Amino acid sequence: MLRGKTIGLRARHDDDIPILLAELYDDPVNSARAEGRPWRPLTPGTKDRRLVVDESAEGLVQFSVVELEGGTLVGSATFWGIDTHNRSAHIGLGLLPSTRGKGYGTDVVATLCEYGFAFRGMHRLQIETLADNHAMLRAAEHNGFVREGVLRSSAWVVGEHLDEVILGLLADEWRARQA
């Protein structure tokens, strides 16, 4: 398990899936805001790739996020779009509604950065988020990510187009912050 200050990133357990399904993916608004595609209901026992880890997926690493104290599941995190040639990847996370606002997101971003730069040898990490996702923007910027651009009206979310913000962090910037 990768350890942050308050959270750990560990392998997905079978008993995590019903919780993530019920609290993140069965909520049409939350799912529409987190995914780049229309919401659809998932049946219990689903093998949907967002929930069930496919060990053979080269460009994707999925984690369950747990509290270090007590081990309670608080969400999921992904390291995706891994490009080994350019040494870049994207990061994302989803916290259960009852665990938001406690600083876990900032810690998840920091821990994903450590994974990407220290363990995977990445040169660049990127985050894409909706422009009104202030919690993710704060978590990213607190960890040194720089706003690189806005994709105007690029995301169709519950009946309206929203802007997306692109943020990036380079390995040298991350290392300088660790020193």
Side-chain angles (χ1 to χ4, degrees), residues 27-177:
D27 176 352
V29 174
N30 183 69
S31 186
R33 292 180 57 76
E35 301 289 325
R37 56 186 164 194
W39 176 83
R40 64 181 173 85
L42 300 174
T43 59
T46 182
K47 301 296 182 203
D48 188 278
R49 66 175 181 77
R50 293 168 292 173
L51 293 167
V52 178
V53 175
D54 177 359
E55 299 289 345
S56 67
E58 293 287 323
L60 173 68
V61 179
Q62 296 163 280
F63 298 97
S64 286
V65 181
V66 296
E67 291 175 324
L68 285 178
E69 193 171 308
T72 303
L73 179 70
V74 297
S76 70
T78 56
F79 192 82
W80 62 278
I82 300 168
D83 179 339
T84 56
H85 176 73
N86 292 305
R87 295 182 29 227
S88 63
H90 303 253
I91 64 173
L93 64 105
L95 295 176
L96 304 181
S98 63
T99 66
R100 295 175 187 161
K102 298 179 179 181
Y104 293 145
T106 299
D107 201 15
V108 171
V109 171
T111 308
L112 285 169
C113 288
E114 180 183 11
Y115 176 71
F117 293 127
F119 290 92
R120 296 294 299 250
M122 292 291 123
H123 172 70
R124 171 188 167 78
L125 295 180
Q126 183 169 310
I127 294 172
E128 299 88 13
T129 191
L130 296 174
D132 66 353
N133 188 347
H134 304 294
M136 184 58 161
L137 292 169
R138 276 191 309 273
E141 290 172 336
H142 180 82
N143 281 290
F145 280 80
V146 175
R147 291 185 195 213
E148 297 178 338
V150 174
L151 301 173
R152 299 177 307 134
S153 292
S154 62
W156 178 252
V157 180
V158 192
E160 66 179 318
H161 280 100
L162 300 176
D163 293 349
E164 289 180 281
V165 178
I166 307 295
L167 302 106
L169 179 64
L170 303 178
D172 291 343
E173 297 165 340
W174 178 79
R175 279 192 280 284
R177 291 175 60 87

